[in-house]
Amino acid sequence: MAWDDMQELAPRTARSTYTHRILGMQLEARRRIRKQYGQPEFDGDTGNEGVDENLLQFDGGQQCSWIREEPEMSETKGKVAIVGCGLIGSCWGAMFASAGYSVAVYEINDSLAQAGVGRIRGNLNTMQKEQLSRGKYTIEEAMAQVTRTVDLAEALHGAIYVQESTMESETFKKDIFSKMDAIAGPETILASSTSTIPASTFTETLKNRSRCLVVHPVNPPLYLSLTEVVPAPWTDEISVAKTVELMKDIGQTPVRLNREVLGFAVNRLQYALLAEAWRLVKDGVLDPEDVDKVMSEGLGPRYAFQGPLQTIHLNALGVEDYCNRYAAGIRRVLADMGPTPSFEEPEVIEKISLSMRTSVPDHPSALEQRKTNLARLAKLKRE
């Protein structure tokens, strides 16, 4: 359901920057929320008995939302705190500001905070240039809602959502989340951008742990919309649902993991592919440049539009037919793949490094070309 369509489901007088409503939750999600908050079970299809209608409103669909009127920039959709504004944090800041949220940047000193705000402006310029903006606002209108501070309490004050993008360290995550937990508002969602560390490892002892989760973007986030939403075992359903809708509102494509697994989804799939690429080079089956061609000229273009499961569905007369035809062959190939590499084999590292230095002699230019290509792909996928 489109954001504009969802707005029409509620009276205009009920819409405001901080109005929290849940729309169209699935029946199972309704049941879990009722159980969590001690609501009585319900019979029938509507399930509205005993629920505070100021909190929950169901329309029988599949999505749920915070209803927010599309604001003028003088009245934003809500405040978002960016804790750590480096490469990833500044992308988050730009996406939220572009979509109509006020953004408070927190860093440990003002020099880093200034640099982070500068990166947000640079990202907004890139988004405008590449037609990747997340709202109707000009760069100056968006930047007018971006502030910086070295006071964590000031950054979190009044925030509906916090996106932490600091060091990829479990110890550091425990420290920063403990500090945020002590000052967060009673409804503030605390999210981490971590790519591999489950939220359960750094939020278990927090008083607000039911509103803590991982929200992991794919790098570079301005060009790749996928975002993994990974709740801890104790993250409540309302927080997950709000986060999913928030990601959609800023133009991301959220996928919600039903439970924590190490590495989440993106890295589990990526690492499986990398392991076999490494083995093919190590065993002398392919040169590194040809491994990359298998992806860039073969699997990659197809996977850009259909994932691996839709691919097998289309490569036969459906999934059942594919499995009937190819299951035995798949098992034979998988059994032949060998052990997981250490990724520390010096001869393999040197071989791949030499190939990369030859094929990618100018690293900065190659990064810029990657951004250009991804922007073109994003535009193609929107058409």
Side-chain angles (χ1 to χ4, degrees):
M1 183 181 294
W3 187 261
D4 289 341
D5 294 337
M6 290 189 288
Q7 286 186 320
E8 296 306 316
L9 293 172
R12 180 167 293 274
T13 55
R15 306 178 205 153
S16 68
T17 300
Y18 297 106
T19 301
H20 294 173
R21 292 200 177 185
I22 302 296
L23 286 173
M25 297 191 73
Q26 298 177 11
L27 188 62
E28 176 61 18
R30 297 179 191 168
R31 185 193 65 77
R32 284 183 284 182
I33 291 171
R34 283 174 170 271
K35 182 178 179 181
Q36 180 178 341
Y37 289 99
Q39 297 281 358
E41 292 292 334
F42 58 82
D43 296 317
D45 294 329
T46 60
N48 289 336
E49 299 86 343
V51 177
D52 181 357
E53 291 299 329
N54 290 320
L55 174 65
L56 300 177
Q57 180 181 0
F58 300 109
D59 73 345
Q62 296 294 313
Q63 304 297 327
C64 54
S65 275
W66 290 331
I67 297 298
R68 288 179 293 275
E69 186 174 8
E70 187 70 17
E72 299 297 329
M73 286 308 292
S74 59
E75 180 189 353
T76 69
K77 295 178 178 179
K79 178 182 177 181
V80 171
I82 303 297
V83 176
C85 199
L87 175 65
I88 299 300
S90 62
C91 288
W92 281 119
M95 291 188 290
F96 278 111
S98 179
Y101 293 83
S102 62
V103 173
V105 170
Y106 166 79
E107 274 288 4
I108 57 174
N109 62 57
D110 194 54
S111 177
L112 290 174
Q114 285 186 26
V117 171
R119 278 188 287 268
I120 289 175
R121 179 179 286 278
N123 288 335
L124 288 169
N125 278 314
T126 296
M127 293 163 69
Q128 183 182 73
K129 176 185 175 183
E130 303 291 357
Q131 301 178 27
L132 297 171
S133 296
R134 309 307 169 94
K136 63 184 180 181
Y137 311 107
T138 68
I139 294 171
E140 294 308 318
E141 286 174 331
M143 286 302 301
Q145 301 301 326
V146 177
T147 60
R148 70 178 194 269
T149 181
V150 295
D151 184 340
L152 187 60
E154 180 182 346
L156 268 61
H157 179 71
I160 61 173
Y161 180 87
V162 179
Q163 187 75 43
E164 173 270 330
S165 304
T166 60
M167 293 176 60
E168 191 73 354
S169 157
E170 182 180 324
T171 300
F172 194 89
K173 301 291 185 197
K174 285 181 178 179
D175 180 66
I176 190 65
F177 266 77
S178 177
K179 292 175 180 176
M180 294 193 299
D181 180 57
I183 56 180
E187 295 184 354
T188 305
I189 293 172
L190 304 176
S192 174
S193 299
T194 177
S195 59
T196 58
I197 306 173
S200 60
T201 65
F202 56 87
T203 66
E204 183 174 7
T205 62
L206 304 184
K207 65 180 180 181
N208 294 302
R209 69 179 193 169
S210 64
R211 286 178 279 109
C212 295
L213 71 171
V214 167
V215 180
H216 170 234
V218 180
N219 192 36
L222 299 184
Y223 302 90
L224 298 173
S225 65
L226 183 72
T227 303
E228 296 179 292
V229 177
V230 191
W234 40 78
T235 309
D236 66 42
E237 288 297 316
I238 292 178
S239 295
V240 176
K242 286 178 177 180
T243 300
V244 167
E245 283 302 317
L246 186 61
M247 291 300 106
K248 292 179 181 178
D249 191 44
I250 65 170
Q252 295 299 94
T253 304
V255 291
R256 180 252 171 96
L257 276 67
N258 294 320
R259 66 180 180 87
E260 286 184 333
V261 289
L262 194 62
F264 316 138
V266 170
N267 280 324
R268 287 177 81 92
L269 290 170
Q270 179 173 245
Y271 293 165
L273 176 63
L274 180 59
E276 182 54 23
W278 196 272
R279 285 188 291 258
L280 289 171
V281 173
K282 180 177 183 292
D283 295 342
V285 177
L286 283 176
D287 291 331
E289 55 269 27
D290 285 335
V291 171
D292 280 346
K293 286 177 186 176
V294 170
M295 289 303 301
S296 63
E297 304 299 326
L299 296 176
R302 184 166 64 188
Y303 286 170
F305 294 91
Q306 286 97 28
L309 301 182
Q310 193 174 109
T311 292
I312 69 170
H313 178 71
L314 295 176
N315 280 359
L317 301 177
V319 175
E320 295 87 351
D321 181 51
Y322 185 93
C323 292
N324 288 335
R325 294 187 188 192
Y326 305 118
I330 293 171
R331 291 195 299 271
R332 285 195 299 272
V333 172
L334 290 173
D336 186 60
M337 283 186 173
T340 301
S342 69
F343 299 101
E344 295 176 344
E345 299 91 341
E347 69 282 1
V348 183
I349 293 173
E350 177 57 30
K351 189 172 185 179
I352 295 175
S353 295
L354 178 61
S355 174
M356 294 303 104
R357 289 195 298 268
T358 302
S359 61
V360 188
D362 187 341
H363 196 272
S365 295
L367 283 175
E368 289 305 311
Q369 186 61 52
R370 180 177 75 168
K371 293 177 182 178
T372 299
N373 292 340
L374 289 173
R376 292 164 60 193
L377 180 60
K379 183 178 179 181
L380 178 62
K381 294 185 73 171
R382 291 196 302 267
E383 293 177 352

